[in-house]
Amino acid sequence: MTSLPLCVYPITGLGEIRPGDDLAALVAEAAASRGLSFLDGDVLCVTSKAVSKAEGRLAPLPEGEEASSRAKKALALAEARRVVARRGDLLITETRHGFVCASSGVDTSNAPPGYAVLLPQDPDASAAHLAARLKELTGAEVAVVVTDTFGRPWRRGLVDVAIGASGLPVLLDLRGTLDSHGRPLRVTQVAVADEVAAAAELAMGKARGVPAALVRGLQLRGEGKAADLVRRAEEDLFPQGLGGEPRPGLHLFPQADPAELLGLMARRRSRRSFSPEPVPRELVVKAVEAALTAPAPHHTRPWRFVLVERARESFLATMEAAWSEDLERAGLAPEAIQRRLERSRRLLGGAPALLLAAVTLEGAEDYAEPELQAAEERMFLLSGGAAVQNLLLALEALGLAAVWLSAPLFCPEEALAALDLPPTWRPVGLVAAGWPGGPEPPPRKPAEGEFLLIR
C-alpha cells in the first residue's frame, strides 16, 4: 500500500464537542495549532462520538442508576434492527446501519453528564461532509474515516473499526493477484479502513480526550463506503450449519420468547405519573413503528399518530375550553368542573410525550345503506384501537409508562383544528407517555371465568 513511513499524529486540543459545532473547522484549527497541516492523501480519523455530538445525536437520560440503565436499554432497542443475542443486561444488536455491536452503539462514556451518545445517523455521509469541508478549509484532498469501538467474535478485547468512510477504498481486493510463492489469491480482501481506524486508535486512546488523529503515508487513493464492509446476510455463515442451512435455535430473526411476550402484556398497566425527564424522539418513533403493524380493513393503513410538541399549549387550552362548555351544559357544578380540569392539567401538562391517535377513512367502502356504512366506519375505528394497543405495548417494552386517554373524543373538531389537521380524521384517543414516576400500580388478575365465557 505504501513505501513511505506510516505516521499517526494525534490531534489534541479539540475540547468538548457540542451540537452544531463545525467539526471540520475545529479539527483544522487544532491541527494547525500543533504545527500539522493537511496534505493530499492524508487520512483524518475521527471518533463517532465526536461526529455524533456535533450532529446532535444525544439522548437525555433520567436521573438514578436504575432509571438511567433502563433508558439506555430502551435506546439500544430503539436503534436496533434486531437483537442478535442477550445475556442479562447485555444486548448484542444489529443496528439499522447493519453493524452488529453491543447495545446498538449507545454509550455514555465521554458523553455529557445526563446524556447518552447514539451512533451517527449516516456515518458515510458524515465522513463525506467532513472531507468536503476540509477541502474548503485547507485545499487538501483528505480522506476521512469515522471510527467506533467494537468487540470481535471469538476474541477478547476491543478494537476501533471504520463505521464511516470517504476518499479511500475501504476494501483492498487482492483476489487474482499472486502471493510470494506465485500462487493466486482467491479470497483475500483487506479491510483497509478498519486497519486505519485501529492504527489511529493507538494514538487517540480511550481516556485521553483525543477524538481525532491524522494518518499520513498511506498513499491509497480511491472511493468507498464503510457500508461496503458489512457482510450481507446471505454471505454470513455463522447462523448456518455445515450444510448451509440455519441451525435450530439460531436464526437471523429469532422469534420472541412466548413467556417474555406474555409477561410484557400482563405487566402493562395505565400509568398516570411520569418522571419529568424528556423522552428521546427515537423511542417514540420506534413505538409508533410497532403500532403501525396493527390489522386494518381492506389492506389499508389508516392510522395517524401526531407527536404534540410545539402546539401543545394551544392544543390543551383549546380542548380545555371545549370540555368546560360541555361540562357546564351537562349541569356539573363549577367546583366539580374545576377539579376535573386541574386533574387533566397535571396529567397532560406533565407528560413528557403526548401523542394524538387518529384514523382516516381512506380506502373505506362507500355504502348507500346507513347501517352498512356505519359498520364500515366502526371497522376503521376499531383498527385504531388495535394500533393504540400496539403502541402501549411497545412503550412498555421500551421501559416507558403510558396511559390511553379519551379527551379528544369529546371535542374532535377542536382537537384537530388546534393541530391544523384534516377535519376528516377521526381521533381515537390521546396517549401520554414518559419515564415511570410514582408507585407502580398493582397487577390486575381477572377472576376465573370473568372474561372467558364458554357456551
Side-chain angles (χ1 to χ4, degrees):
M1 285 183 281
T2 178
S3 58
L4 300 174
L6 188 65
C7 303
V8 183
Y9 304 95
I11 299 177
T12 57
L14 275 169
E16 181 64 29
I17 310 297
R18 293 179 173 80
D21 280 350
D22 185 340
L23 183 57
L26 292 176
V27 168
E29 182 181 349
S33 69
R34 68 184 309 267
L36 280 175
S37 57
F38 287 98
L39 306 176
D40 288 348
D42 284 347
V43 182
L44 171 69
C45 291
V46 60
T47 65
S48 64
K49 278 208 176 67
V51 174
S52 292
K53 289 177 184 179
E55 294 178 350
R57 291 280 288 161
L58 301 171
L61 296 174
E63 294 182 0
E65 184 176 347
E66 183 179 347
S68 178
S69 176
R70 186 168 56 238
K72 284 187 287 186
K73 182 179 179 182
L75 286 166
L77 292 172
E79 292 289 301
R81 180 185 296 167
R82 66 183 176 106
V83 175
V84 177
R86 68 174 78 202
R87 185 175 62 199
D89 290 334
L90 174 63
L91 287 175
I92 303 298
T93 60
E94 179 186 344
T95 72
R96 56 174 166 266
H97 318 84
F99 309 139
V100 175
C101 56
S103 301
S104 304
V106 176
D107 200 0
T108 53
S109 62
N110 295 314
Y115 286 86
V117 183
L118 314 181
L119 292 180
Q121 198 84 274
D122 185 343
D124 282 322
S126 301
H129 171 76
L130 285 170
R133 182 73 178 121
L134 284 171
K135 173 72 172 177
E136 291 178 13
L137 295 168
T138 69
E141 295 282 355
V142 178
V144 174
V145 173
V146 177
T147 72
D148 198 74
T149 304
F150 281 18
R152 299 158 298 157
W154 321 129
R155 296 183 68 83
R156 292 179 176 175
L158 305 171
V159 67
D160 270 25
V161 299
I163 67 166
S166 177
L168 80 166
V170 299
L171 284 169
L172 184 61
D173 194 348
L174 299 180
R175 292 174 296 182
T177 64
L178 302 178
D179 68 9
S180 59
H181 297 283
R183 290 187 291 263
L185 299 174
R186 301 187 185 280
V187 297
T188 304
Q189 290 179 293
V190 180
V192 177
D194 283 347
E195 291 183 327
V196 172
E201 197 277 328
L202 294 174
M204 292 188 291
K206 295 298 177 197
R208 295 199 292 267
V210 181
L214 177 64
V215 179
R216 177 166 292 164
L218 193 61
Q219 298 300 316
L220 187 64
R221 300 296 183 88
E223 193 58 59
K225 295 182 177 180
D228 298 334
L229 293 166
V230 176
R231 192 182 297 278
R232 294 191 294 270
E234 62 269 21
E235 298 174 346
D236 188 359
L237 295 180
F238 284 99
Q240 300 176 5
L242 295 176
E245 296 297 326
R247 294 200 303 264
L250 186 58
H251 306 286
L252 286 176
F253 298 95
Q255 294 180 334
D257 180 350
E260 185 177 350
L261 180 58
L262 291 172
L264 169 71
M265 297 173 72
R267 189 172 69 244
R268 195 216 66 79
R269 297 294 309 280
S270 295
R271 300 283 293 269
R272 291 173 169 78
S273 298
F274 307 105
S275 174
E277 286 82 7
V279 174
R281 188 173 292 178
E282 293 84 0
L283 298 189
V284 177
V285 170
K286 194 75 171 179
V288 170
E289 287 175 353
L292 301 184
T293 64
H298 313 314
H299 307 289
T300 59
R301 295 175 63 84
W303 319 284
R304 302 292 184 267
F305 289 94
V306 180
L307 181 59
V308 184
E309 288 186 335
R310 293 184 298 274
R312 178 190 283 230
E313 188 174 337
S314 60
F315 171 67
L316 294 180
T318 299
M319 285 203 301
E320 184 173 308
W323 298 337
S324 296
E325 293 178 6
D326 289 343
L327 294 174
E328 286 176 10
R329 284 195 296 269
L332 264 69
E335 298 80 8
I337 294 174
Q338 193 59 34
R339 282 196 301 271
R340 291 194 181 189
L341 294 178
E342 287 176 359
R343 189 166 60 242
S344 175
R345 287 186 200 121
R346 284 194 302 271
L347 175 55
L348 298 181
L354 211 56
L355 288 132
L356 175 71
V359 298
T360 74
L361 297 181
E362 297 171 14
E365 299 287 352
D366 189 11
Y367 291 103
E369 297 85 350
E371 295 82 2
L372 292 178
Q373 189 62 35
E376 181 79 0
E377 294 182 8
R378 281 198 299 273
M379 281 200 307
F380 278 77
L381 292 173
L382 287 170
S383 79
V388 170
Q389 175 70 353
N390 274 12
L391 177 71
L392 294 171
L393 288 171
L395 291 169
E396 178 72 28
L398 293 170
L400 294 162
V403 59
W404 181 7
L405 304 164
S406 59
L409 301 181
F410 295 93
C411 52
E413 295 85 1
E414 292 86 350
L416 294 171
L419 297 175
D420 195 24
L421 298 174
T424 54
W425 286 19
R426 303 289 184 90
V428 294
L430 197 62
V431 174
W435 300 112
E440 186 170 345
R444 184 178 58 193
K445 295 183 179 180
E448 185 177 354
E450 184 178 357
F451 297 112
L452 178 63
L453 302 178
I454 301 174
R455 292 288 188 266

